[in-house]
Amino acid sequence: MDKFFKTDNPAVFVESPGRINLIGEHTDYNHGFVLPTAIDKKIYFELRKNDTNTSCSIYSETFNTRLNFDLKIIKKSNSTWENYILGVVNELQNRGKELSGFDCYIKSELPIGAGISSSAALECGLASGLNSLFELNLSKQEIVNLSQAAENNFVGSQCGIMDQYASVMSKKDHLILLDCLSLEAEFIPTNFKSCKILLINSKVSHSIADGEYNTRRKECESGLKIIQNQYEEVKTLRDVSLELLDSCKSQLSEKQANRVLYVLQENQRVLTAVNLLKSGELQAFGKLMYQSHYGLRDLYEVSCRELDFLVKFSEEKDFIYGSRMMGGGFGGCTINLIEEAHIAAFTEEVTIAYQKEFKLKPEMITVVPGEGTLVKRA
Ligand code: GLA
């Protein structure tokens, strides 16, 4: 666990994983269903108190930079990774949690902007580490909530709860069917038989801090409001049926209607997909992954040419059961359910084709569903 670290006398070690999401995209902030899990790729932290009252020093090996700050002066930085750190400290202090000066060393094996949630791993890992270092007695759910709040309030991205939940709560070899309204979770064993999960990083970097993500969220919220004007019993998009949406269509803009339609369909797909997984029908499960992609491309409009190319390329192979863009969109990875025996040859083929089309080398990442955040005291 401690093979990376260089500080003296570390007190706490944290392993904080990235996440994948099999199906259920852009449904979390619409109070719907998602099917994520943590992966075996992580961010590693080492923390110690430093005998000062308020001076903190964070070293990121990935960026080869140091962030020094004072606990009494938490100001937004121009650098996004620093804001994830400062945002977590800010949320802890806002909740009346007492901190003193600390040092932290961070090393990441998660690609940034690839849609595997390096940001949630950073927030939740730091929050979990500080929870242990200062004996703050936060529950796992509180760590999830405050990490999401850090991103919403400090970084300014109105993300839902999926990434933080998956990073902290996942169990090895399971997917989480998470109801993002009640926060009830069912852990579904991953039985992918002869298949593996292969991520293909398009190398088009996305940042959900960019406006489009927040715009989608606003479009769904304003669409919901219009529906509520007509049907006051509707509390969230979960209460909207296809018939009900149809009856409101004339009052919604085309965009609003498409966004809402996508969300209703995607929620249904998640629930169907879970049943198919439970009964071992992997090919039918994979078909829903493709449908999810088409919805994200055509109705929700968060895909891009590079992702569409990768999904189409996969669709032509019968040894790939399902493929779709994953995460916020506009770049990052596709997630593919692929027969293991074909991974090597497919990797070669898709790399050549993608490079020819886009002059970019895609990155292949095989992942295994893993355990949520691990914290160890020295
Ligand atoms: C990002 C957000 C999540 C979720 C996904 C899309 O990863 O952080 O909350 O909305 O996009 O499903």
Side-chain angles (χ1 to χ4, degrees):
M1 198 176 205
D2 43 8
K3 61 184 180 216
F4 296 125
F5 298 114
K6 299 184 178 93
T7 57
D8 295 329
N9 306 319
V12 173
F13 300 90
V14 183
E15 295 185 8
S16 184
R19 65 101 189 88
I20 50 173
N21 184 26
L22 270 295
I23 194 162
E25 220 64 87
H26 287 275
T27 43
D28 59 351
Y29 56 81
N30 285 308
H31 304 103
F33 300 101
V34 291
L35 194 62
T37 184
I39 53 174
D40 55 341
K41 309 273 182 292
K42 304 175 180 186
I43 301 182
Y44 300 83
F45 297 73
E46 181 187 84
L47 299 102
R48 64 175 179 195
K49 293 182 188 171
N50 64 13
D51 298 327
T52 71
N53 287 335
T54 57
S55 301
C56 301
S57 175
I58 318 275
Y59 180 72
S60 158
E61 193 173 302
T62 311
F63 295 109
N64 189 22
T65 41
R66 189 173 291 282
L67 162 66
N68 294 315
F69 65 94
D70 187 302
L71 285 172
K72 290 214 183 87
I73 315 166
I74 303 290
K75 274 195 313 216
K76 215 170 160 170
S77 146
N78 291 328
S79 141
T80 311
W81 83 268
E82 295 185 355
N83 284 330
Y84 294 120
I85 304 283
L86 294 165
V88 166
V89 170
N90 190 47
E91 287 299 325
L92 285 170
Q93 297 199 125
N94 284 348
R95 285 166 169 72
K97 301 293 173 190
E98 295 251 340
L99 309 177
S100 61
F102 67 91
D103 299 334
C104 176
Y105 189 96
I106 303 174
K107 182 181 171 89
S108 175
E109 57 190 19
L110 298 177
I112 295 159
I116 55 178
S117 241
S118 54
S119 47
L122 191 55
E123 295 149 3
C124 296
L126 181 68
S128 304
L130 293 176
N131 185 38
S132 172
L133 188 66
F134 294 105
E135 298 176 22
L136 303 177
N137 258 324
L138 291 163
S139 68
K140 283 186 172 191
Q141 187 61 56
E142 285 172 306
I143 287 174
V144 169
N145 294 346
L146 82 86
S147 298
Q148 184 199 12
E151 191 150 341
N152 292 168
N153 302 334
F154 207 83
V155 181
S157 152
Q158 298 307 312
C159 68
I161 201 155
M162 168 171 75
D163 302 348
Q164 291 79 5
Y165 196 97
S167 185
V168 173
M169 304 287 199
S170 289
K171 294 189 182 151
K172 194 169 186 307
D173 298 327
H174 286 77
L175 302 173
I176 310 175
L177 169 60
L178 180 65
D179 177 333
C180 299
L181 181 58
S182 66
L183 291 188
E184 266 168 43
E186 184 185 343
F187 289 84
I188 320 275
T190 45
N191 183 4
F192 293 143
K193 300 181 189 171
S194 57
C195 288
K196 284 266 184 251
I197 299 290
L198 173 70
L199 306 182
I200 308 181
N201 186 354
S202 66
K203 291 285 186 62
V204 179
S205 180
H206 83 135
S207 157
I208 67 160
D210 287 346
E212 288 294 329
Y213 183 93
N214 292 349
T215 305
R216 292 298 174 284
R217 189 169 179 154
K218 281 201 194 110
E219 286 164 349
C220 289
E221 284 165 2
S222 62
L224 174 64
K225 270 212 184 94
I226 293 171
I227 297 172
Q228 283 170 330
N229 286 342
Q230 210 166 315
Y231 297 93
E232 54 183 41
E233 69 276 18
V234 167
K235 299 278 176 282
T236 71
L237 288 185
R238 280 270 284 282
D239 304 324
V240 179
S241 64
L242 289 175
E243 296 73 39
L244 199 148
L245 172 61
D246 241 12
S247 73
C248 297
K249 252 198 175 144
S250 59
Q251 284 134 72
L252 297 169
S253 70
E254 194 186 340
K255 267 192 185 158
Q256 281 169 328
N258 283 345
R259 310 301 191 231
V260 173
L261 176 61
Y262 163 78
V263 172
L264 306 192
Q265 292 176 339
E266 183 75 350
N267 277 330
Q268 192 48 55
R269 276 192 286 267
V270 177
L271 298 177
T272 311
V274 166
N275 287 332
L276 291 169
L277 195 63
K278 284 180 179 168
S279 56
E281 293 170 77
L282 286 187
Q283 271 152 335
F285 178 91
K287 287 212 170 78
L288 293 177
M289 292 173 72
Y290 285 118
Q291 284 172 23
S292 168
H293 184 77
Y294 307 144
L296 288 159
R297 182 190 66 191
D298 303 332
L299 296 174
Y300 220 70
E301 296 180 284
V302 289
S303 188
C304 61
R305 275 181 57 231
E306 292 82 353
L307 293 169
D308 293 342
F309 178 93
L310 289 171
V311 171
K312 186 152 181 292
F313 202 85
S314 291
E315 205 174 3
E316 284 158 12
K317 313 289 174 201
D318 56 8
F319 52 83
I320 299 184
Y321 299 173
S323 175
R324 58 177 206 85
M325 57 147 276
M326 189 179 73
F330 305 105
C333 289
T334 61
I335 177 169
N336 301 269
L337 187 60
I338 177 173
E339 285 177 6
E340 187 173 11
H342 294 273
I343 291 181
F346 174 72
T347 293
E348 218 179 299
E349 198 186 334
V350 70
T351 302
I352 292 170
Y354 187 81
Q355 260 181 316
K356 192 167 166 226
E357 186 78 15
F358 298 108
K359 314 277 176 285
L360 274 173
K361 187 162 192 247
E363 181 190 8
M364 305 292 144
I365 313 170
T366 35
V367 291
V368 178
E371 189 75 25
T373 323
L374 293 172
V375 180
K376 196 178 91 178
R377 290 182 72 93

